[in-house]
Amino acid sequence: SSYPWAPDDSMRPNQRVAAVRLDAIRPTQGTDTLIAFEKIPEGVRKEQVGGVVFDLCVGEDFACEDAEVGLSIILQSESAHWMPLLKVPLLKVQPGWNTYVARVEDPNLYRAMPKLYTVRFQLFQKGQDKVPVSGTVYVDRVGFLYRSAEGSEAASVGGASHP
């Protein structure tokens, strides 16, 4: 992460979640990674990855003058370095925990999955003038959506992890 994060046990009973605290930051290239899962756990069937699932909660203290501030969910592979899957506008996230599914929409990208190495949650703002972002963003239950060999989605999720 480009920003301080810590396990937080106040958001879910008897569980720890990743809490990233933003203190009037201005996300720019190189300092805009909210969380990066840079080691894919052993046992993940990379060749079958068809997307990412995760839970997201935006703290009540979250604030930004840019109504478009959000998270891009990106996969990285040795075969395709930058695969954006989903954009989540943070100011439009409903209170409490929200589950998101970021699917690989382009079947041509399936060939890159066996060499998958990172899942990246990247902050973005609209326009060149970056305005301060403050508050806490919570992420939990990050895992992979698997697809069958034929390319259709399977219901199983694997590889849940914390950064």
Side-chain angles (χ1 to χ4, degrees), residues 65-114:
E65 291 180 15
D66 180 354
E68 302 299 318
V69 66
L71 282 181
S72 289
I73 312 310
I74 299 158
L75 292 180
Q76 292 183 282
S77 165
E78 292 174 20
S79 301
H81 179 68
W82 203 255
M83 297 177 280
L85 302 183
L86 177 69
K87 287 189 174 188
V88 178
L90 291 173
L91 291 173
K92 294 180 182 174
V93 172
Q94 296 296 313
W97 286 102
N98 298 270
T99 300
Y100 291 89
V101 177
R103 289 180 173 81
V104 176
E105 299 289 343
D106 181 355
N108 292 320
L109 294 177
Y110 294 159
R111 295 185 300 236
M113 294 306 129

Side-chain angles (χ1 to χ4, degrees), residues 27-155:
T28 59
Q29 186 174 0
T31 64
D32 54 0
T33 301
L34 188 79
I35 292 180
F37 297 87
E38 295 179 331
K39 184 177 181 193
I40 306 299
E42 293 290 324
V44 169
R45 299 184 309 265
K46 295 179 187 179
E47 67 281 353
Q48 290 183 283
V49 168
V52 177
V53 295
F54 61 96
D55 287 355
L56 180 70
C57 180
V58 176
E60 292 178 8
D61 62 342
F62 189 83
C64 183
E65 291 180 15
D66 180 354
E68 302 299 318
V69 66
L71 282 181
S72 289
I73 312 310
I74 299 158
L75 292 180
Q76 292 183 282
S77 165
E78 292 174 20
S79 301
H81 179 68
W82 203 255
M83 297 177 280
L85 302 183
L86 177 69
K87 287 189 174 188
V88 178
L90 291 173
L91 291 173
K92 294 180 182 174
V93 172
Q94 296 296 313
W97 286 102
N98 298 270
T99 300
Y100 291 89
V101 177
R103 289 180 173 81
V104 176
E105 299 289 343
D106 181 355
N108 292 320
L109 294 177
Y110 294 159
R111 295 185 300 236
M113 294 306 129
K115 296 191 178 198
L116 186 66
Y117 64 84
T118 298
V119 177
R120 186 173 298 278
F121 288 58
Q122 199 91 9
L123 278 172
F124 70 84
Q125 287 187 348
K126 192 173 185 177
Q128 296 298 319
D129 297 327
K130 306 302 180 197
V131 296
V133 181
S134 295
T136 308
V137 178
Y138 302 92
V139 178
D140 192 23
R141 299 180 180 167
V142 178
F144 292 102
L145 179 68
Y146 289 133
R147 57 186 172 75
S148 68
E150 296 81 35
S152 61
E153 285 183 3

